Amino acid sequence: MRPITLLTLPFAAAVAGALVPFKGCQHKVKESIHGPPRGWYKDVPASKHHMLELKIALPQPKFPELEQHLWEISDPSHARYGAHLSKQETEALMAPHPETLDVVSEWLASHGLVEEDVIRSSANDWVTIRVPVGLAEEMLDTTYHVYKHTQTGESIVRTTSYSLPEILHEHVDLIQPTTMFARFKAFKSTLRWTNQVQPAVSSPSVRTITGPAGNQVDASCNNTVTISCLRQLYNAVDYSTSATNGNKLGITGYLEEYANNMDLQQFYQLQNPSAQGSNYTFVSIKGGKNNQSDAGMEANIDTQFGFGLTWPTPGTFYSTGGEPPFDPDLLTTSDTNEPYSYDTLPQSISTSYGDDEQSVPHSYATRVCDGMAALGARGVSVMFSSGDGGVGDGDAYPAQAFGHQCYSNDGRKTPMFLPVFPASCPYVTAVGGTVNIPETAANFSGGGFSNYFPRPSYQDAAVSAYLASLAPGTYKGLYNSTGRAYPDVSSQAVNFAFIYQGQTASGAGTSCAAPAFTAFVSMLNDARINAKKSALGFLNPFLYSAGYAALNDITEGRNPGCQTEGFNLYD
Ligand SMILES: *[C@@H]1O[C@H](CO)[C@@H](O)[C@H](O)[C@H]1NC(C)=O
Ligand SMILES: *[C@@H]1O[C@H](CO)[C@@H](O)[C@H](O)[C@H]1NC(C)=O
Ligand SMILES: *[C@@H]1O[C@H](CO)[C@@H](O)[C@H](O)[C@H]1NC(C)=O
Ligand SMILES: *[C@@H]1O[C@H](CO)[C@@H](O)[C@H](O)[C@H]1NC(C)=O
Ligand SMILES: *[C@@H]1O[C@H](CO)[C@@H](O)[C@H](O)[C@H]1NC(C)=O
């Protein structure tokens, strides 16, 4: 990396009216991948007229300062615990260097793109331009192709390498879509129809079994999980939330997964009759739609359990038109027609989508993960489901053999477990799945160690102790013992009774666990707000230092995958 002072020369030239000499400047490869990830093959060259929405991430030189704030305000033993930053304060710490803005604008101008062609995020850290493939190829000195997915037939326009003038390298973190092939599937692993209609509320005559805290739980909860079951299991039977104290719950939706309102009302009628007739706020991001003729299983589970558990807490469903993962920047953009104020975010947000970490370019994963830190700094608890493939790949669940797909995609085909992103990001709370009462790990529950993100200090003690308990040599080489370990928590994830297309269905997956856990975080936030305390914000430093004492330790079960038995406590 060149020191920033050397750049004052072209910068001075630029403001004096002379163009930074991009045209003559040597292009250098900015990012390249070995080839498309498993499942994709290269088809024809892309049409030069195909329009691309290129997103350019500009470096955030003050990120270390943002992160320092995050650690302090999320650490319950720190004097600043709960002193969350405002939108303005956070954005000031996400902003690029002014020179970067100038150099990048000059580069865009050298390709005929003026300020009116540019959309900027409110922190100015992302620049979006709409350009034809022909121009993008010139700017990035690359060739775009159509890539097709072998199973789904889906086509995308991508490249495996792109270049930038050398002078730009330190002013641009990444440009996508280029090398990004991740598909970010929904983590719902099974669905079946059931005819069982569950009682909405527990009655004293119902047979009970003993729950995790010695409390009595309806025996039916061992086979069918309802809102009532979750409130019994996790000790919130008598807790009532407020509609008006400012607490809010956010659920994100992607991939044309729409939450169906009629299904939601039918679910309320069965499982939480007092919520009937209530509604949530719908926020469309990047053209996200709300097609009521096209119910999504994932969106239905998420909204029914998330909003159903927390009613009357106001809920927001974010329908995102583009690709996941949940891009925190989208919640803070000002260039939107929404009347909704982005100055106040929901205190708890659940997302049930993800993909193999290795299919997400490292630069992109880092940038999205840093965005999660920014949300944490603002006091938002961000939950992601941990994936449905155990230590392997969610694609393989439930029936196919796990083994043959567990390889690195860097061309070396090194056998390895497949961590899932964004669960592997150290700034999110990753939620795994359990089954039955007493709870044991659900055998699909995603978990393991990141290859991108080092182990954060908040989990040092817990993870070192766990690693020390493994028999020497266990899974040697298959997982990264220095990486961030996940999931952080788990909740029930099997036999969820929900409504889909007017019928009772049963769903399973960490997709069920994330909104369920998030709903309880939201209830805790509700209580804290009523007590004039700050919201919990980024949870992990609290969870690993003190919060775990309020949780049940799940010690049974394992998460098989990659032709192994997966991890268990004390192998
Ligand atoms: C609930 O909100 C959605 C999204 O704003 C809207 O489409 C729907 O009509 C509303 N339903 C009711 C029952 O008010
Ligand atoms: C809504 O979904 C239905 C069913 O999939 C589809 O036929 C219809 O075209 C969609 N409408 C819009 C506006 O996308
Ligand atoms: C719950 O179901 C599981 C699996 O069928 C069973 O092993 C367990 O004993 C049941 N729990 C109780 C408390 O009956
Ligand atoms: C997980 O458990 C289910 C239900 O008991 C079983 O059908 C399935 O084969 C198990 N999957 C693996 C990978 O062990
Ligand atoms: C293991 O994780 C660290 C970061 O925690 C990373 O630097 C390293 O490259 C990873 N190793 C492999 C083989 O992925």
Side-chain angles (χ1 to χ4, degrees):
M1 264 260 263
R2 205 189 316 182
I4 197 90
T5 45
L6 280 185
L7 269 163
T8 49
L9 198 67
F11 172 62
V15 291
L19 282 179
V20 181
F22 288 109
K23 287 266 150 87
C25 181
Q26 196 70 37
H27 269 73
K28 205 175 94 185
V29 173
K30 174 72 181 168
E31 189 160 359
S32 74
I33 55 173
H34 168 76
R38 172 174 60 83
W40 293 100
Y41 67 93
K42 191 177 183 173
D43 198 33
V44 294
S47 152
K48 302 291 174 211
H49 306 292
H50 177 82
M51 292 303 286
L52 287 174
E53 187 161 289
L54 283 187
K55 294 202 79 185
I56 306 169
L58 309 181
Q60 302 171 315
K62 291 190 182 153
F63 183 78
E65 213 182 307
L66 176 71
E67 194 190 20
Q68 187 54 36
H69 281 286
L70 177 69
W71 295 135
E72 292 180 8
I73 65 185
S74 312
D75 171 2
S77 68
H78 197 281
R80 291 185 62 216
Y81 181 67
H84 303 135
L85 306 187
S86 68
K87 177 175 191 279
Q88 287 70 25
E89 287 166 333
T90 310
E91 285 178 359
L93 297 171
M94 296 164 77
H97 195 283
E99 282 185 10
T100 290
L101 291 172
D102 285 317
V103 174
V104 170
S105 290
E106 286 294 338
W107 174 60
L108 295 175
S110 75
H111 288 282
L113 294 161
V114 294
E115 193 56 33
E116 291 75 71
D117 301 322
V118 170
I119 299 168
R120 295 183 189 277
S121 64
S122 61
N124 276 327
D125 57 336
W126 285 93
V127 173
T128 305
I129 50 173
R130 265 179 67 78
V131 292
V133 162
L135 179 54
E137 290 181 334
E138 211 176 286
M139 295 171 78
L140 306 179
D141 192 19
T142 187
T143 308
Y144 275 92
H145 279 81
V146 174
Y147 287 83
K148 288 200 163 160
H149 197 265
T150 38
Q151 279 154 13
T152 64
E154 187 186 342
S155 305
I156 56 176
V157 171
R158 294 289 188 275
T159 173
T160 52
S161 169
Y162 68 97
S163 300
L164 288 173
E166 224 174 320
I167 195 174
L168 265 184
H169 275 234
E170 63 191 288
H171 295 292
V172 170
D173 268 354
L174 65 94
I175 302 184
Q176 292 294 350
T178 48
T179 56
M180 163 92 156
F181 286 81
R183 288 166 72 242
F184 292 105
K185 34 192 183 290
F187 286 136
K188 52 167 198 304
S189 58
T190 58
L191 171 89
R192 59 189 165 77
W193 304 108
T194 76
N195 297 318
Q196 286 168 282
V197 175
Q198 289 307 309
V201 277
S202 149
S203 81
S205 61
V206 170
R207 194 171 71 83
T208 60
I209 53 180
T210 303
N215 50 334
Q216 289 303 299
V217 176
D218 294 356
S220 62
C221 299
N222 203 17
N223 309 307
T224 306
V225 175
T226 60
I227 281 184
S228 166
C229 288
L230 292 168
R231 280 186 161 247
Q232 292 174 55
L233 266 173
Y234 301 137
N235 205 16
V237 173
D238 293 325
Y239 189 74
S240 306
T241 57
S242 161
T244 54
N245 64 358
N247 190 37
K248 285 194 266 184
L249 170 68
I251 303 277
T252 68
Y254 295 93
L255 308 174
E256 301 179 350
E257 275 272 356
Y258 308 114
N260 188 272
N261 295 317
M262 268 164 64
D263 285 347
L264 181 67
Q265 295 306 327
Q266 192 179 334
F267 176 83
Y268 283 163
Q269 189 187 348
L270 280 173
Q271 294 203 20
N272 190 353
S274 43
Q276 241 188 307
S278 71
N279 208 349
Y280 54 87
T281 305
F282 175 86
V283 174
S284 163
I285 290 174
K286 288 210 297 190
K289 286 184 273 182
N290 182 18
N291 186 343
Q292 289 298 311
S293 325
D294 191 7
M297 266 185 261
E298 178 65 65
N300 272 14
I301 292 179
D302 296 349
T303 49
Q304 289 174 20
F305 277 88
F307 299 149
L309 276 163
T310 55
W311 180 87
T313 296
T316 303
F317 182 72
Y318 297 94
S319 172
T320 303
E323 295 276 299
F326 169 58
D327 177 352
D329 220 50
L330 295 171
L331 294 190
T332 58
T333 45
S334 46
D335 55 44
T336 163
N337 306 324
E338 292 298 329
Y340 182 76
S341 163
Y342 292 99
D343 285 344
T344 57
L345 292 168
Q347 291 83 349
S348 334
I349 300 181
S350 177
T351 302
S352 291
Y353 298 78
D355 206 347
D356 294 359
E357 185 181 71
Q358 66 169 346
S359 71
V360 185
H362 184 270
S363 58
Y364 189 77
T366 303
R367 199 47 199 244
V368 169
C369 185
D370 288 354
M372 303 302 164
L375 277 179
R378 291 196 51 195
V380 179
S381 306
V382 181
M383 267 61 68
F384 276 87
S385 47
S386 73
D388 288 351
V391 292
D393 186 325
D395 276 349
Y397 186 82
Q400 300 94 320
F402 285 85
H404 64 287
Q405 295 163 334
C406 297
Y407 290 108
S408 69
N409 65 9
D410 58 0
R412 295 195 198 108
K413 292 205 109 194
T414 313
M416 61 180 235
F417 291 159
L418 299 175
V420 157
F421 180 80
S424 68
C425 165
Y427 308 121
V428 308
T429 299
V431 186
T434 65
V435 62
N436 291 143
I437 304 165
E439 287 175 89
T440 65
N443 67 3
F444 53 76
S445 182
F449 295 78
S450 173
N451 288 316
Y452 282 1
F453 303 103
R455 183 195 308 154
S457 61
Y458 61 73
Q459 61 172 204
D460 242 342
V463 177
S464 311
Y466 174 70
L467 289 172
S469 77
L470 291 180
T474 305
Y475 304 141
K476 194 166 178 356
L478 292 178
Y479 75 98
N480 192 330
S481 62
T482 68
R484 180 295 200 249
Y486 72 96
D488 301 294
V489 293
S490 297
S491 104
Q492 288 277 333
V494 182
N495 299 327
F496 272 48
F498 72 112
I499 302 292
Y500 180 59
Q501 297 177 345
Q503 287 186 61
T504 300
S506 170
T510 52
S511 274
C512 300
F517 180 80
T518 304
F520 287 88
V521 172
S522 179
M523 287 184 233
L524 291 171
N525 277 331
D526 181 84
R528 284 182 62 88
I529 291 168
N530 288 344
K532 305 272 179 284
K533 291 182 174 166
S534 66
L536 288 164
F538 175 46
L539 288 170
N540 296 5
F542 164 65
L543 285 177
Y544 284 86
S545 62
Y548 70 88
L551 304 177
N552 312 310
D553 197 5
I554 309 298
T555 56
E556 298 291 326
R558 40 204 324 137
N559 62 346
C562 303
Q563 281 171 349
T564 74
E565 289 288 290
F567 289 106
N568 185 5
L569 196 64
Y570 312 120
D571 268 286

